[in-house]
Amino acid sequence: PPDPPPRRVFRDFLRRRKTQIVGAGMLGLVAGALLGGITVSAFTDHRDVRLVPDQRSLLPPHAPRCHVIDDRAVCFEPVLPPAPTWTG
């Protein structure tokens, strides 16, 4: 009888040239994203423009929260809980 076909293993797949090229490209993409993210976060000005706790406590809870981003005021409307439907 003829010899059985060779058994395929994952190691054979990793030895293929196309697999190695794709793997190296993906590894380079991940490394570049990490290095780029670290660089951007290191050189970005992290100003905290939120109100300090003393000033925040002076505002009513339903007041919009405003922040200055790139010399523009951006305000966020608060999400209020639904009004109670029961009386008593």
Side-chain angles (χ1 to χ4, degrees), residues 63-69 72-78:
R65 304 292 185 216
C66 296
H67 306 280
V68 177
I69 301 172
R72 293 183 307 161
V74 179
C75 296
F76 302 96
E77 293 294 326

Side-chain angles (χ1 to χ4, degrees), residues 36-54:
I38 291 169
T39 303
V40 168
S41 67
F43 292 108
T44 301
D45 187 15
H46 294 286
R47 290 182 294 170
D48 191 7
V49 295
R50 291 179 288 185
L51 296 173
V52 295
D54 295 337

